């Protein structure tokens, strides 16, 4: 997904692993605390990635719904228009999409 969050997640996992090994072998509190911090970093990175993926799926669904409604509206307009033919729907939809893309930038 996001390279920075992947680095943070993997870095947190690595810190957790190394500190856990050193903390268990030496039983020093510093290593155990660092291991806990690494575990928290890994957990937060994982939760952030899940949230981002969920948001991207939701945005894709909304974009698809919007595109479907826009296409349906254009087809309905062309069916009711005496000067346009329904066979022109593809061209009209393409032109409308191009205009919308130009106005977004």
């Amino acid at each position: 997904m996001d390279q920075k969050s992947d680095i943070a997640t993997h870095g947190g996992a690595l810190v957790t692993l190394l500190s856990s090994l050193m903390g268990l072998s030496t039983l020093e509190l510093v290593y155990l605390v660092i291991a806990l911090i690494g575990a928290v970093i890994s957990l937060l990175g994982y939760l952030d990635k899940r949230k981002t993926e969920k948001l991207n799926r939701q945005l894709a669904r909304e974009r698809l719904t919007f595109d479907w409604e826009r296409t349906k509206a254009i087809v309905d307009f062309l069916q009711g228009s005496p000067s346009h033919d329904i066979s022109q729907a593809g061209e009209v939809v393409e032109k409308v999409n191009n205009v919308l893309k130009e106005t977004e930038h």
Side-chain angles (χ1 to χ4, degrees):
M1 193 81 196
D2 182 21
Q3 188 175 4
K4 288 183 181 180
S5 71
D6 283 346
I7 290 171
T9 302
H10 295 327
L14 181 64
V15 167
T16 301
L17 174 69
L18 294 175
S19 296
S20 297
L21 292 174
M22 287 191 278
L24 290 175
S25 65
T26 62
L27 294 177
E28 288 193 29
L29 185 60
V30 173
Y31 292 123
L32 295 174
V33 169
I34 292 173
L36 182 62
I37 291 171
V40 169
I41 290 171
S42 294
L43 178 65
L44 291 176
Y46 171 74
L47 293 175
D48 181 53
K49 184 182 280 191
R50 278 189 51 193
K51 181 180 176 184
T52 302
E53 289 174 355
K54 183 177 179 181
L55 180 63
N56 286 340
R57 284 192 305 270
Q58 180 182 1
L59 290 174
R61 278 193 305 270
E62 289 175 0
R63 194 170 25 253
L64 183 64
T65 302
F66 177 70
D67 288 345
W68 182 81
E69 290 174 355
R70 182 177 55 216
T71 302
K72 186 175 178 338
I74 292 170
V75 169
D76 289 345
F77 169 75
L78 290 175
Q79 285 177 340
S81 175
S83 61
H84 294 93
D85 186 15
I86 192 64
S87 64
Q88 297 174 335
E91 296 172 14
V92 173
V93 169
E94 185 178 333
K95 289 178 183 177
V96 169
N97 286 336
N98 287 339
V99 168
L100 288 174
K101 285 180 184 177
E102 289 176 7
T103 58
E104 285 177 359
H105 302 306

